[in-house]
Amino acid sequence: MVSSSRARVAVRDDPRRTRSVAAASAALIVGAGLALRAVAAGEVAKYGGDALYTLLLFALVFVAAPRTAPVKAAALALAVSWGVEFLQLSDVPAHLARESTAARLVLGSTFNAPDLFWYAVGAVTGLLAVRRA
């Protein structure tokens, strides 16, 4: 019988498996975001979506670079999320959002300080999920 810590190391040492699990997780996260929007409204949908946005970025880090340390993946996902949010202090995302639905979904349009907290929730959730796996 293989101990759970050795099994975790074995999964992290297999980049193809890590990439596959991360890609499947990304698809589930997108589905969860769509489901959340379908059943919830207001702050629950908005802030839940914020956390899922960063969680999706966290999973995509492993799709692109499967050997990334989980803490680094969480930090990168959080930094990108925060970067996009702070970019909203300029007119660039709002302008792009008027031109493209995809840009509106990825970049948003207006800065909202509480989003920063919920992005951190998504990063920590990803980190905890990987550590439990």
Side-chain angles (χ1 to χ4, degrees):
M1 186 159 135
V2 176
S3 75
S4 65
S5 63
R6 283 197 307 187
R8 276 183 282 209
V9 170
V11 169
R12 287 190 191 140
D13 287 341
D14 183 358
R16 290 174 303 197
R17 175 147 167 67
T18 300
R19 185 173 278 128
S20 296
V21 170
S25 297
L28 288 172
I29 293 163
V30 169
L34 294 171
L36 181 64
R37 288 288 182 170
V39 301
E43 290 184 351
V44 170
K46 180 179 180 0
Y47 295 128
D50 289 344
L52 289 170
Y53 178 87
T54 302
L55 189 58
L56 175 61
L57 292 174
F58 177 79
L60 292 176
V61 168
F62 290 111
V63 170
R67 292 187 190 263
T68 303
V71 170
K72 287 184 181 181
L76 181 59
L78 184 58
V80 170
S81 297
W82 282 357
V84 168
E85 191 67 30
F86 283 113
L87 182 64
Q88 292 171 0
L89 291 169
S90 74
D91 292 334
V92 173
H95 173 74
L96 293 173
R98 286 189 296 273
E99 303 296 322
S100 165
T101 300
R104 187 180 77 243
L105 292 172
V106 173
L107 299 176
S109 61
T110 55
F111 179 81
N112 184 31
D115 290 351
L116 300 171
F117 170 78
W118 291 102
Y119 294 140
V121 168
V124 169
T125 299
L127 186 58
L128 292 175
V130 167
R131 287 195 170 166
R132 290 192 58 155

